[in-house]
Amino acid sequence: MSMDLDAPVSLPSRPLVPRDSATILCCNCGVPIDGTLAAGALCSDCLKLSVDISDGIQREATLHICRDCNRWLQPPAHWVTAEPQSKELLDLCLRKLRGLSKVRLIDALFLWTEPHSRRIKVKITIQQEAFQGTIIQQTFDVEYVVAYHQCPDCAKSFTANAWRAVVQVRQHVPHKRTFLYLEQLILKHSEHKDAINIKEVKDGLDFFFAQRNHAQKFVDFLTKVSPVNTQKASELISMDIHTSTKSYKFSFSVELIPICKDDLVALPIPLAKKIGNIAPLSLCHRVGKNVNLLDPSTLETADISPAVYWDSPFRGVLADIQELVEFMVLDIEPVGPQVGRFLVAEATVARSSDLGVNDKTFYTRTHLGNILHVGDQVMGYHLTNTNFNNPNFEAIEESKVYSSRIPDVILVKKFYPRKKKSKPRSWRLKRINKEEGEMLPRKQDQERLERDFEMFLRDVEEDPDYRSTLAVYKAKQAKQDRDGMEGVETVSIAETEGLVDGDEIPNIDLEELLDDFDELDVDDKE
């Protein structure tokens, strides 16, 4: 005969009380407790239920965020940057609670909430001494409501004439290639982030700032990366005669040296001797903090610093890239020396427009010995029978030393004949989101800007040294027509242009391209 037995049931354990201590019964549940340590004749369980140490601490609060700059308001008037569920945001949440300073904070952590709910929940653990010798620990949740509130900086950016300082960048040249390069440097180093507005004007850009020190920082950056001359002016806006408080607006004028990459420069002969005895007729090889000049026949280089140029400014640009002429290489023979990727060579060229018309050829020395081959097309300056209204060039022609060294042709760079194709480039550049001036550009001006930008893109493709100073990003095939991120617009990817002949255009390796993490979202697919 079998008997069914019930499963054992665990009974709540009662606290063991030493036999030699005075015991009393809990006034609520009747559990024997130590009378010498009991607080209010209550056991530990009843004490937790009857005493609330979180009384007086808020259980609900409101956090204010600016939807334009994503900064949080830290009372009374300070705005801080904090990522979701970060230490900075948790510190801001705890500071918002009144009464939390009266207890000891043990732990605090975020609880999960729906991203679109505009709610933030924080689990807080605290301790406090309820009675003498009795410490209670308690955990509770606090819910924060996220409300939108525009910060003063963003309010100023949407208000006309709310700027405190303006930086006016100018360069008096017929094209925008130098500004396109400067724009990429500004984007690479994020120097435009403090500007409340950027306006495009004739011959340059205007950067508006809410604080003077932001403008001064921007001017210092321009001084480090480009040859500029800076001037400063201030205007009194208002003055309080009782407190002697004055309000100023500051203007910084930044003018770039009017010499650009690939320009043909005619130097004053005394200046050419001063900067290293370079030939007065030289090519502008690179523009950085200084203007780098190159003698294509000897590979001698010299730098013109901003201090030297602005000490005695001169009209040195003899011809710019708009005056380049296409030539065909008939013969080329390297003669040395070689410096870097440049090699001196003797070349025989003819104008492409003269082929089949006449047999006129030109002999010259060039620095492109490692690049050019017979049959290649090259762009250069045609000096024969060309009149230049330039006093420096006239002095060179009259000089007994340099007049015989003026070549008929100065070759600048290899030319790649291109044809339109539908395949886009595999890379792209970012552009600053600028405000157009009061007068919209005319149709011919818009075509000139597009042509300048296309020439700049070709320079980036063909010159690796030029490209190494820029931030070049990978182009996403599915996002070619999508607008850029806020504050920065992406370039509409120009069509890739293939060669008419079998030669290949220099391509940018994928290892050189950067991933634009700012555009990643949940819809991106590998």
Side-chain angles (χ1 to χ4, degrees), residues 29 31 75 94 103 118 121 163 278 312 338 392 422 432 508:
C29 61
V31 175
L94 297 178
V103 297
R118 292 171 58 185
K121 290 185 178 181
W163 52 272
I278 192 174
S312 56
Q338 180 174 356
N392 297 330
S422 58
I432 295 179
I508 302 179

Side-chain angles (χ1 to χ4, degrees), residues 365-383:
R365 290 172 68 93
T366 178
H367 61 294
L368 304 176
N370 281 335
I371 303 174
L372 297 181
H373 303 87
V374 176
D376 287 346
Q377 293 170 293
V378 60
M379 304 299 292
Y381 294 108
H382 189 198
L383 304 184

Side-chain angles (χ1 to χ4, degrees), residues 169 178 181-189 191 217-228 254 256 286-291 306 469:
V169 186
T178 303
Y181 177 69
L182 185 60
E183 178 183 6
Q184 296 303 316
L185 292 179
I186 293 173
L187 283 170
K188 181 179 180 180
H189 297 87
E191 292 294 332
K217 177 185 174 184
F218 184 71
V219 172
D220 295 340
F221 169 77
L222 295 180
T223 305
K224 294 178 181 179
V225 299
S226 57
V228 298
V254 180
L256 280 73
R286 184 182 296 108
V287 177
K289 185 177 181 180
N290 301 321
V291 177
T469 60

